[in-house]
Amino acid sequence: MAKSEEEEPPEARFVSSADEGRGTESHLLTMKTSTGDVTGLRTGRGADDRDAGVDIESDVVSAYTAGPNPAKADRERRASQVLINHLNSQGAQWKPAEMAPEGRDEEGVDCTADSEAGADKLLIQVTTADRTETWKQLAQTGSATHPDTSVGDLAAALQDAIKSKRHHPKQGIHLVLDATDSISSALPAVTEAFRTEYGPWARTLGYEGIYLAGPMNLITRLDE
């Protein structure tokens, strides 16, 4: 996956859109080799001065995250909206994400969305994909440099994140692993490794679906 000296410079793709509900510019930069392998991601979000990046070379993943420590409600609503945008792109008609009424978190629901027809309700549980010291560092200094890790370790960390919700209800609920702020897990190499190693296990858990939500509208279903 690492690019050699003989390969052409990585292809960069820039995407910009309005940050959901804030009306400020965000971007996602995808670095690729000439053969299409993703070697890095860069993202910025003007709404809260988020800046994050990740690179992979020879299975070594290095990353950084800068900006304020995100409020729990903001990240849950943002990750839920990434899922809603994805489902709507496939023909669903869900309204914007809303925080679940107080007490619903005990039922395994963090956010909901009503259908445009008004008959159905989308139930979403959100958990962070990054369970390291990132959030403590952001709260203290506004920036975090992640220890180098591997694709396999990041995939195993996603399984740990899912396991952390094992005592919550699952039937009828979409589980979203939030990688919208700390984006290492959004690398295609990581989600592909998870699906290969843990996909069969994930499909036995009983969720309506398990997704990894990255920056912008980058999303991968993990239980397929």
Side-chain angles (χ1 to χ4, degrees), residues 123-187:
L123 304 179
I124 306 169
Q125 182 179 114
V126 181
T127 190
T128 180
D130 183 348
R131 312 182 82 80
T132 66
E133 294 292 305
T134 296
W135 315 113
K136 181 178 179 180
Q137 293 180 40
L138 289 180
Q140 292 176 341
T141 67
S143 65
T145 300
H146 307 261
D148 287 351
T149 187
S150 69
V151 168
D153 285 346
L154 287 169
L158 293 182
Q159 186 190 38
D160 290 341
I162 296 169
K163 285 181 176 179
S164 74
K165 298 298 181 180
R166 61 186 176 276
H167 299 305
H168 289 260
K170 301 174 180 63
Q171 186 173 2
I173 294 174
H174 291 74
L175 178 64
V176 178
L177 277 61
D178 175 25
T180 60
D181 290 288
S182 178
I183 66 174
S184 298
S185 299
L187 282 169

Side-chain angles (χ1 to χ4, degrees), residues 32-163:
K32 297 180 181 180
T33 66
S34 59
T35 57
D37 293 325
V38 175
T39 61
L41 301 171
R42 300 287 185 275
T43 189
R45 194 170 61 236
D48 56 358
D49 296 324
R50 173 67 63 232
D51 180 31
V54 60
D55 294 293
I56 178 172
E57 185 171 1
S58 300
D59 197 48
V60 176
V61 179
S62 55
Y64 69 89
T65 307
N69 193 20
K72 182 174 183 291
D74 287 343
R75 67 172 181 79
E76 288 176 347
R77 188 164 45 238
R78 181 167 50 247
S80 295
Q81 191 61 49
V82 173
L83 171 64
I84 290 168
N85 293 345
H86 169 68
L87 296 177
N88 286 350
S89 73
Q90 296 186 324
Q93 293 183 316
W94 297 109
K95 295 181 180 180
E98 298 180 351
M99 298 304 297
E102 190 173 349
R104 288 301 297 269
D105 56 338
E106 296 180 1
E107 302 173 14
V109 178
D110 295 310
C111 291
T112 65
D114 293 323
S115 69
E116 291 289 351
D120 300 314
K121 188 177 289 289
L122 184 69
L123 304 179
I124 306 169
Q125 182 179 114
V126 181
T127 190
T128 180
D130 183 348
R131 312 182 82 80
T132 66
E133 294 292 305
T134 296
W135 315 113
K136 181 178 179 180
Q137 293 180 40
L138 289 180
Q140 292 176 341
T141 67
S143 65
T145 300
H146 307 261
D148 287 351
T149 187
S150 69
V151 168
D153 285 346
L154 287 169
L158 293 182
Q159 186 190 38
D160 290 341
I162 296 169
K163 285 181 176 179

Side-chain angles (χ1 to χ4, degrees), residues 11-17 25-32 42-44 216:
E11 171 192 346
R13 180 172 58 86
F14 183 79
V15 182
S16 179
S17 71
E25 190 175 81
S26 301
H27 69 267
L28 174 64
L29 183 69
T30 304
M31 309 304 293
K32 297 180 181 180
R42 300 287 185 275
T43 189
M216 301 291 286

